[in-house]
DNA sequence: TTCTTGAAATGACAAATGTCATGATTTTGC
DNA sequence: GCAAAATCATGACATTTGTCATTTCAAGAA
């Protein structure tokens, strides 16, 4: 399996090369350090998999990836990044990347590479929550604790995000309308938002 | 890595067992043949991964999976199936399964198992096309024409979905605030919605 | 017990929102 | 040119929304 690695941190790319080549059957055939090089290397070497940092100086991995996939629909690109970012995850999905892995999670790199090689798509845990229509009914614990939101507040946010008016929320949760207003007021303050519409938007962006 | 296999075709489950145990580090600790057994086996054995047919007589793999994940949020379930089905794929995703693999694709089974074990999610190529559109920056043409929305109306909707107030939208688009209100009123009527919050929600659900 | 804390409610208020009727202006088709 | 459209604007109005100060009440902690 031929692999090209592209990362603007040389240290990362050479460590990756070592890790990968410890495995028989894997061969790192090229190393690059920016988006432009990624495109050139891909064209020249046609690797089975392109392992690329999503964030790089100059042309980002995403841009490069989009271009490469445009040229070769079959291209198998696995993105690497050090942190999970909403925007990136969704975009990576959109351009048709085969996967997305956090660098921290280096043990899962080889199995993921193989799975991708064999036609699977591999994504970290985070991806699922970022996909709109598959939302569950409530915000993830991780998101809510980060903002000190109580259980009840979450319930209210969820109702707002379902498009209910204060009166309707009051009926649903057996509270008075005024109480619901108070809750929302507090929530908006906590989240630094202005009105319920922004709150609903927040919900959909963090779910 | 401890694995439990559940498939109503004994032939399949025993072949799988053989394939898996050829790999060092993998141990099939239990085999079941229906959803009910899957639940019992999971409770009793707490395997690292549950490899389960999605379609089975009696309780389906999907139902069993939902129940198991309900009991143990950490449960790692990888579904197996012989054909790709829209319903199933999306449902599997929704209940929180870690993956979905076609039986035909047996070479990718082991790498996929490992990737899942290490915290990834693995899905076949098909999945992507089945996932409702991920949101980008504007409504798709298809969506807007379906509702007879004009160019200007789309602009307004977009601003609402960005969380702007009427006054802000007016400034952005060089209109009076009243005009913006009128536009929104018409849009809400067209889309059968009640207020701007529902409009923002609509936007994020159709984008 | 008394004190404190948190959840829920109230009422008053200003601001934002949505609806409606109407009118001015511009664009477009014929 | 003229009529029929969009397009943009107003003003009046009822409702909803968000803020704030204050109160009630119950459960714990002292």
């Amino acid at each position: 399996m031929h692999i090209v690695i592209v990362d603007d941190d040389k240290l990362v790319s050479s460590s990756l090369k070592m890790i990968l080549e410890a495995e028989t059957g894997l061969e790192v055939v090229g190393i690059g350090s920016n988006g432009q090089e990624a495109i050139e290397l891909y064209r020249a070497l046609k690797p089975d998999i392109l392992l690329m940092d999503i964030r790089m100086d100059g042309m980002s991995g995403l841009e490069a990836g989009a271009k490469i996939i445009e040229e070769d629909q079959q291209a198998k690109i696995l993105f690497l990044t050090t942190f999970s970012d909403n925007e990136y995850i969704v975009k990576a999905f959109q351009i048709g990347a085969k996967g997305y892995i956090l660098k921290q999670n280096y043990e899962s790199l080889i199995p993921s590479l193989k799975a991708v090689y064999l036609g699977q798509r591999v994504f970290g845990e985070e991806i699922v929550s970022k996909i709109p229509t598959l939302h569950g009914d409530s915000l993830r614990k991780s998101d809510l604790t980060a903002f000190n939101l109580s259980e009840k507040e979450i319930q209210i946010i969820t109702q707002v995000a379902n498009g209910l008016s204060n009166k309707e929320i009051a009926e649903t949760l057996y509270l008075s309308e005024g109480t619901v207003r108070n809750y929302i007021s507090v929530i908006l303050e906590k989240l630094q938002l202005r009105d319920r519409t922004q709150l609903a938007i927040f919900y959909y962006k963090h779910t």
Side-chain angles (χ1 to χ4, degrees), chain A:
Chain A
M1 181 176 3
H2 290 182
I3 299 172
V4 164
I5 300 174
V6 177
D7 194 310
D8 60 353
D9 184 341
K10 305 271 188 195
L11 209 83
V12 171
S13 40
S14 49
S15 334
L16 283 176
K17 179 176 157 75
M18 278 206 293
I19 293 176
L20 295 183
E21 298 203 320
E23 180 84 7
T24 58
L26 299 195
E27 191 183 345
V28 176
V29 295
I31 290 188
S33 60
N34 61 57
Q36 192 53 48
E37 281 181 37
I39 295 177
E40 289 159 12
L41 284 169
Y42 190 87
R43 283 190 191 136
L45 305 172
K46 289 277 173 189
D48 296 307
I49 296 186
L50 172 56
L51 197 56
M52 176 162 55
D53 195 356
I54 207 163
R55 272 204 149 191
M56 288 183 295
D57 299 332
M59 186 188 289
S60 78
L62 266 171
E63 289 174 72
K67 194 147 196 85
I68 290 169
I69 288 173
E70 194 183 306
E71 286 180 17
D72 177 5
Q73 303 285 354
Q74 306 308 313
K76 291 182 169 135
I77 301 182
L78 194 52
F79 281 116
L80 277 169
T81 186
T82 39
F83 56 90
S84 82
D85 180 300
N86 223 324
E87 285 300 299
Y88 288 160
I89 290 183
V90 173
K91 290 248 175 74
F93 220 132
Q94 284 176 325
I95 70 166
K98 299 300 180 204
Y100 179 99
I101 291 186
L102 298 180
K103 283 182 190 170
Q104 295 94 318
N105 205 350
Y106 67 91
E107 324 93 38
S108 74
L109 182 57
I110 291 188
S112 298
L113 267 175
K114 289 190 181 171
V116 166
Y117 181 57
L118 294 164
Q120 302 297 314
R121 291 206 173 215
V122 178
F123 290 87
E125 198 52 53
E126 331 76 54
I127 181 69
V128 180
S129 54
K130 305 285 159 49
I131 297 176
T133 2
L134 299 176
H135 296 301
D137 275 334
S138 62
L139 281 171
R140 294 262 155 283
K141 274 269 156 62
S142 55
D143 283 332
L144 58 94
T145 48
F147 293 100
N148 284 336
L149 296 173
S150 71
E151 194 54 44
K152 194 127 230 154
E153 287 169 339
I154 302 291
Q155 285 177 27
I156 301 228
I157 292 176
T158 305
Q159 299 306 316
V160 169
N162 282 334
L164 303 200
S165 69
N166 289 336
K167 185 185 289 202
E168 289 166 338
I169 296 175
E171 285 165 9
T172 309
L173 301 183
Y174 305 108
L175 297 172
S176 82
E177 190 186 331
T179 304
V180 173
R181 285 216 288 259
N182 288 339
Y183 267 112
I184 290 181
S185 192
V186 172
I187 292 168
L188 293 177
E189 171 64 22
K190 281 189 186 176
L191 299 179
Q192 302 274 38
L193 301 173
R194 190 177 50 194
D195 54 48
R196 69 199 298 103
T197 303
Q198 294 189 344
L199 181 55
I201 294 167
F202 172 90
Y203 179 94
Y204 284 100
K205 291 209 164 158
H206 289 76
T207 308

